[in-house]
Amino acid sequence: QMAFGSVTEGPFADVRVRQAVSHAINRAAIVDKVLFGMGQPAAGPFPESMAFAAKGLKVPAFDPEAAEALLTEAGWVEKDGVRRKGGEPFEVMLYTYPQRPGLPPMATALQGMLGRIGIRVSVKILDWSAILKKMRPQDMRIVASASAMYPDPDFFLRGHYYSKGNNNVWGYANPKVDALF
């Protein structure tokens, strides 16, 4: 699971930037090359094999051209291989932790993929508690999500996507989603 430092301030407040990041990620390559074929690209928080999973969700398309177009539309212009807005470079810290051995190489892969669309990414590997203290609105983190460990999807989803959820540290708020909970 990838999470943004904030979706209410910083570059990720613009949905087009979040969509661009999604389009820049080659999920199949991560599964094949980083995870040595173990797994499958995720289309949602729960595998289709779970009774309550949404069936038929499509894996977000790997489309670097669409990613670049979205960034340009959002005002992030490429100059010398780095996107800039108002003269400031698009630079983010991507945090992860060492306890899940697949995460650091995934972070390195993401660094390269996002770099190809002009987002300069630095990777930092810290213990989980330190990540939460250090993250800024313009940062990202990747974690090994345990969504499949819960017998009821509400616990995971409400914690992460309800506006007052205990794991909603990035500020996601959508009245329609809250009403569904």
Side-chain angles (χ1 to χ4, degrees):
Q1 174 189 28
M2 178 183 282
F4 301 105
S6 175
V7 295
T8 60
E9 59 180 300
F12 303 117
D14 189 325
V15 68
R16 297 169 296 187
V17 173
R18 299 192 305 269
Q19 291 168 338
V21 167
S22 182
H23 281 305
I25 298 171
N26 186 337
R27 291 160 179 82
I30 289 174
V31 170
D32 292 343
K33 306 294 183 195
V34 178
L35 301 176
F36 305 106
M38 300 300 293
Q40 60 188 26
F46 305 108
E48 276 201 3
S49 60
M50 297 184 82
F52 47 76
K55 308 295 188 228
L57 291 178
K58 298 204 181 316
V59 175
F62 170 57
D63 189 345
E65 291 80 22
E68 290 178 344
L70 284 162
L71 288 173
T72 300
E73 184 181 310
W76 291 95
V77 180
E78 188 272 328
K79 182 180 180 190
D80 300 324
V82 177
R83 296 278 171 167
R84 297 177 184 280
K85 188 172 187 177
E88 295 296 316
F90 197 153
E91 298 177 326
V92 302
M93 183 67 68
L94 175 58
Y95 290 98
T96 194
Y97 51 96
Q99 289 81 2
R100 298 285 186 160
L103 291 177
M106 285 172 69
T108 302
L110 291 168
Q111 179 182 40
M113 291 172 190
L114 296 176
R116 285 188 203 101
I117 63 164
I119 300 174
R120 188 179 295 156
V121 178
S122 299
V123 174
K124 190 163 275 199
I125 301 166
L126 299 172
D127 285 333
W128 179 247
S129 60
I131 292 171
L132 293 178
K133 291 177 187 171
K134 295 231 180 233
M135 273 194 74
R136 303 167 301 165
Q138 66 268 29
D139 294 335
M140 300 183 300
R141 70 173 187 257
I142 56 169
V143 301
S145 177
S147 63
M149 306 266 308
Y150 304 111
D152 182 341
D154 183 76
F155 181 81
F156 175 81
L157 294 172
R158 185 181 299 268
H160 287 82
Y161 300 105
Y162 180 57
S163 64
K164 295 179 179 77
N166 60 338
N167 288 319
N168 181 355
V169 296
W170 51 81
Y172 177 78
N174 181 324
K176 291 179 182 177
V177 172
D178 282 357
L180 289 169
F181 285 118

